[in-house]
Amino acid sequence: MEELQEKIVELPEDGYDISRPGVIYPDFQDYRYFSNAAGRETNVKVLLPANYSTEKRYPVLYALHGFFDSEKWMARPEVSFSVILRNLQLDGKAEEMIVVLPYIFCSKTLPSCTGMDLENCFAYDNFINDLTGDLIPFIEGNFSVEKDRKRRAITGFSMGGRESLFIAFTHPELFAYIGAACPAPGLVEIKGSPMHPGQMKECDMRFGPDKPEILLISSSKADDVVTTAPDSYREILRKNSEPFLSHLLESTFHDHTSVKPHLYNFLRLIFRTER
């Protein structure tokens, strides 16, 4: 993995997120499935390849939104997800894939996030049960996908980045490609804060025999929301001798300005036989 660090760029070249004349860019489509973890019908957005065919099987990327947001966040025009991916594919820099944008707030008592407190944090933490018990089976039962860890990827922004790391460490058998853009604090204990007891211990941030092909952490030095949380995760990974790729941004913010460069780097690396 370390040999790929030189392929990480801080900011992509101009035009990477702009629609090209005459090119068809697929849209995210809305679907619903029953989430036992949340006890309700749940929304999910799915992006199919431009020439999607049931005669082919595709790898799948799950991309998770942040606190207070929904499955709509990464499908917004500001993020340019479909445009970035399609342009990379046209340039031979990314594989065809299915992209899944789930709603990761999983509470049986609250339909949506009501505040930045422990109850709401636990609802986001509960997404791991939705993903493994309901969402992956729904995607694999309704779309033509490859059912193998080396053909699954997961990434997320802010709280979604934290959850992607948590899922990756607790279920390394599911995903070979992991990303986190500006991951939120709380994966481990936040010292001196009652906000969250920590989803896991520092010593548990290890993958065991199922090492990821890619683990990319992106963050901005100007991010005043998650502040030093991404750097603390990097330090724990170094201490645990777990290799990762680091993407450092100088002046982007805790929003799409950081997510888009992260996606540009991550999409170029996942599912690739040749990088």
Side-chain angles (χ1 to χ4, degrees):
M1 190 187 307
E2 293 178 358
E3 68 276 9
L4 298 174
Q5 183 63 52
E6 64 182 22
K7 294 187 176 294
I8 303 300
V9 298
E10 179 185 354
L11 295 171
E13 66 273 11
D14 291 343
Y16 80 103
D17 57 348
I18 297 175
S19 299
R20 300 177 183 178
V23 174
I24 295 175
Y25 294 89
D27 291 325
F28 283 95
Q29 302 298 317
D30 295 317
Y31 296 88
R32 289 176 68 82
Y33 67 98
F34 188 81
S35 168
N36 288 285
R40 54 170 158 74
E41 289 288 318
T42 299
N43 298 325
V44 60
K45 284 185 171 290
V46 179
L47 180 70
L48 298 177
N51 299 307
Y52 176 75
S53 170
T54 56
E55 295 182 0
K56 295 176 62 176
R57 293 196 179 274
Y58 300 89
V60 184
L61 166 61
Y62 295 83
L64 316 183
H65 63 80
F67 221 97
F68 289 116
D69 288 312
S70 73
E71 76 286 351
K72 299 176 183 179
W73 195 89
M74 284 203 184
R76 297 179 310 147
E78 293 88 343
V79 179
S80 306
F81 205 134
S82 177
V83 174
I84 295 170
L85 176 57
R86 187 74 176 123
N87 285 347
L88 286 172
Q89 290 168 342
L90 291 171
D91 294 340
K93 296 179 180 179
E95 298 297 314
E96 283 191 318
M97 66 186 75
I98 292 174
V99 180
V100 178
L101 306 182
Y103 180 52
I104 71 170
F105 187 83
C106 294
S107 168
K108 291 185 176 180
T109 58
L110 298 172
S112 60
C113 182
T114 59
M116 197 167 285
D117 55 28
L118 196 55
E119 180 184 12
N120 282 275
C121 283
F122 283 159
Y124 286 110
D125 296 348
N126 192 33
F127 173 69
I128 190 172
N129 297 307
D130 175 277
L131 177 72
T132 56
D134 302 305
L135 180 55
I136 288 179
F138 171 78
I139 295 298
E140 294 187 346
N142 288 275
F143 301 95
S144 186
V145 305
E146 296 181 87
K147 304 175 183 180
D148 182 273
R149 74 179 291 269
K150 289 192 174 183
R151 306 300 281 169
R152 288 196 205 101
I154 189 168
T155 192
F157 166 61
S158 194
M159 178 60 89
R162 185 181 99 183
E163 297 306 329
S164 70
L165 292 174
F166 177 58
I167 291 163
F169 284 116
T170 51
H171 285 283
E173 79 282 359
L174 290 180
F175 297 97
Y177 304 92
I178 302 113
C182 312
L187 181 63
V188 295
E189 181 184 2
I190 304 171
K191 304 296 185 184
S193 171
M195 176 64 181
H196 201 286
Q199 293 170 284
M200 58 199 313
K201 302 294 185 183
E202 291 186 9
C203 60
D204 294 325
M205 286 178 61
R206 292 186 171 93
F207 291 103
D210 290 323
K211 301 291 186 185
E213 299 284 325
I214 297 293
L215 170 55
L216 173 64
I217 298 178
S218 301
S219 63
S220 173
K221 294 180 180 179
D223 188 333
D224 60 357
V225 177
V226 300
T227 61
T228 61
D231 284 334
S232 70
Y233 298 152
R234 292 184 179 103
E235 186 56 36
I236 295 168
L237 289 168
R238 292 188 187 100
K239 183 171 66 176
N240 291 344
S241 298
E242 291 288 354
F244 64 94
L245 300 175
S246 187
H247 175 207
L248 296 173
L249 296 146
E250 290 290 334
S251 57
T252 57
F253 303 102
H254 193 76
D255 58 16
H256 64 279
T257 59
S258 291
V259 172
K260 290 167 67 175
H262 169 78
L263 290 175
Y264 177 84
N265 283 307
F266 194 61
L267 293 170
R268 289 186 301 124
L269 295 174
I270 61 177
F271 311 133
R272 303 284 280 173
T273 53
E274 294 183 3
R275 300 187 181 92

